[in-house]
Amino acid sequence: MREMPHVRFGFVALSLSALIAATPGHARDLSGPLATPETANRLEQKLQRIITAGAPAAIAFIRDGTRRWIAAKGVADIKTRRLAKVTDAWRIASVTKLVSAHFGSRLQAEGLLDLNAPLSRISPHLPNALGQVTVAQLLNHTSRLAEYLDHRVLGVTARGMAASARRRPDIDALVTRALRSPRVDDPMAEHQYANTNYALFEHIIEQASGQSFEALMTSRIIEPLQLTHTGLTDREGRIPVPHLRTYIRDDTRVGGPFSSRNRLLDVTEHPYFRGADGGLYASAGDLAKLMDAIWDAERAGKRPLGQLTERLYSDHDGFYRYGLGVMAVLLSCGKTIYGHEGQDLGGSTVAFANRENTRQLVLGVNLSTDNNAALTRAIESFRETVFCS
């Protein structure tokens, strides 16, 4: 996930059956209405608000108990004008961290990895200053490692970011530079979010399991769950199944970076976030299944999200608390939801559920929220409608 202003959210039981019949390109309701036609109309308006805020497309999956609804609205590709479909995949970016931390939890349960072990015991070749950092500190971002994908790599403007998407940097060199950089000290935060933590953790779980991260994903997630639209992007950042193209708004002289309302830059294919820090793509239905598997595994071992949320750390502005790869967000209605957000170069992902996983939301939007307050508010309003009834 890039360093950027957080999307603020908070989430209201809903029904979308009326929306399905009214809007071309929507999937059919999988199991009947979830609430009233009035709620369906309300959510249709809120989904449209995401499109009105500039997003070419939005895909949403909602589950309340055993009742489910999935929908796609808008265009997946602004060049071809292909309508988005509910089976389209997209890069879920930092939502990958939820899966990566789950791997760590499972490997510990199998006796293959100790999350409390210092890195010096696992990877003695690391710089001495990192020797006492534990695996768990990587997963909850309390290691204070510097970010390997900073403004020097990605740029601070839309044109700069689009140019960075066309480069083929040495990711290992970027991570090594971050590991050798001074540790970050933010006295206002209990943790310091950095993709470097999970880039390093990827090597650790590969050593512990004897498998590549991609092989782990395939053998432990994709094949057992029969996910047909999930995987890791290739080295060029390509997705091999039908997918959403993702965009950033162009720069303007008056509004500054990412402020254009008329011109979008395609940044779908890029070489960043290829592994445990953010390399997964998935469809809405596949991501919902993946979340179910994580909640079920945690429940079997202890309680829903037990180990992953035993200790939570606050970020610098109090927006969320962070466990092992899990964001815990306190909503305006007093409810807490668990999961992760994902911000790719272009596009935004929401993947949250309540602790018991009786209510769940997956939302994919193929436009970055950078300098787009209207889109941020639209996503926030959609989430609020799902969880805060």
Side-chain angles (χ1 to χ4, degrees), residues 138-161:
L138 297 180
L139 296 181
N140 59 33
H141 299 288
T142 59
S143 70
R144 302 291 176 174
L145 292 178
E147 174 59 69
Y148 82 94
L149 289 177
D150 58 17
H151 65 277
R152 293 174 295 177
V153 179
L154 298 179
V156 295
T157 65
R159 293 298 177 94
M161 189 171 291

Side-chain angles (χ1 to χ4, degrees), residues 168-247:
R168 293 296 174 263
D170 185 337
I171 299 296
D172 287 339
L174 292 177
V175 173
T176 299
R177 181 178 71 178
L179 294 177
R180 291 174 176 171
S181 298
R183 306 279 282 281
V184 178
D185 182 19
D186 183 352
M188 300 299 292
E190 291 185 299
H191 84 154
Q192 180 66 37
Y193 191 101
N195 290 288
T196 310
N197 289 294
Y198 279 75
L200 179 55
F201 179 64
E202 179 178 336
H203 294 288
I204 290 172
I205 59 177
E206 288 179 340
Q207 290 181 45
S209 67
Q211 292 182 280
S212 69
F213 182 70
E214 184 172 12
L216 277 170
M217 274 299 307
T218 300
S219 64
R220 289 176 173 254
I221 293 290
I222 296 174
E223 290 180 348
L225 297 180
Q226 299 180 345
L227 305 181
T228 58
H229 290 74
T230 298
L232 290 168
T233 63
D234 65 16
R235 294 187 64 84
E236 303 300 316
R238 292 173 296 209
I239 301 174
V241 296
H243 58 275
L244 298 180
R245 306 295 298 183
T246 51
Y247 303 92

Side-chain angles (χ1 to χ4, degrees), residues 9 309 312-313 318-323 326-331 336-340 352 355:
F9 26 81
T309 58
L312 297 170
Y313 297 86
F319 159 60
Y320 63 82
R321 293 175 298 152
Y322 204 93
V326 178
M327 289 179 173
V329 179
L330 178 63
L331 306 179
T336 299
I337 55 174
Y338 301 85
H340 218 291
F352 282 89
R355 179 174 282 277

